[in-house]
Amino acid sequence: YNAVMWAVKSGVTKGTSATTFSPNAPCTRAQMVTFLWRANGSPKATGANPFTDVQAGSYYYDAVLWAVEKGITSGTSAVTFDPNGICTRAQAVTFLWRAAGSPAPKSMNSFADVPADAYYAKAVAWAVENGITSGTGGGKFSPDATCTRAQAVTFLWRANGSPAVSGNAAFSDVATNAY
């Protein structure tokens, strides 16, 4: 609830309608990068667009270009970003970790489903150390699982220090004791 409230009040995202947030809906790659970009002040990107599937005028255009410019993402290939693709939990924490400057974790995690040589291993360890995630239970992180909209804004809220929020959400699908 606090993460969703923070995201809405700080301009990171809006609901999917005037009365819903759709917390369990999949977060797309475009949404995740846009949430991160907005949380960083929506800076103007100056680089060229390397992607054929990111069109000028799309809501995520500047966000994706900023993320490429900052080394947060290089896309799913040299010429594609896959904006409508589902963002996995591994991709979400990797975007956050790279946005934070890719700091070296003090120790590696012990999740059974995070191989030490995975591209996201250091990001997951950093996220655990910083209280951004504690996994999905049973000693697992579930790196390939879909990152939901609620998980995306919760990761981002925690990465920003879990700032206090006040007021009420007008979302019928976000319980006050959730997230």
Side-chain angles (χ1 to χ4, degrees):
Y1 180 79
N2 285 336
V4 173
M5 287 291 299
W6 168 81
V8 172
K9 287 185 176 254
S10 63
V12 170
T13 187
K14 300 176 186 170
T16 52
S17 78
T19 59
T20 58
F21 181 75
S22 303
N24 297 318
C27 186
T28 67
R29 290 172 49 81
Q31 288 172 337
M32 185 65 205
V33 169
T34 301
F35 295 168
L36 184 57
W37 172 71
R38 289 176 182 158
N40 280 275
S42 304
K44 186 71 176 163
T46 57
N49 179 5
F51 303 126
T52 58
D53 59 354
V54 175
Q55 303 304 312
S58 60
Y59 78 87
Y60 50 83
Y61 182 80
D62 285 330
V64 172
L65 268 56
W66 167 81
V68 169
E69 186 176 290
K70 297 296 181 192
I72 295 166
T73 185
S74 56
T76 54
S77 79
V79 295
T80 58
F81 175 71
D82 192 18
N84 298 317
I86 300 302
C87 187
T88 66
R89 289 173 49 83
Q91 290 169 343
V93 297
T94 300
F95 291 161
L96 288 169
W97 175 67
R98 290 175 181 162
S102 304
K106 292 177 183 72
S107 63
M108 294 306 286
N109 70 69
S110 59
F111 291 121
D113 58 353
V114 177
D117 61 349
Y119 78 87
Y120 51 84
K122 287 182 181 178
V124 172
W126 167 83
V128 169
E129 281 179 10
N130 287 280
I132 295 165
T133 185
S134 58
T136 55
K140 294 185 178 181
F141 175 71
S142 304
D144 298 323
T146 295
C147 186
T148 66
R149 287 174 48 85
Q151 288 171 340
V153 297
T154 300
F155 289 164
L156 193 52
W157 176 66
R158 290 175 181 162
N160 279 276
S162 304
V165 293
S166 61
N168 296 313
F171 301 124
S172 61
D173 59 351
V174 179
T176 57
N177 63 347
Y179 319 112

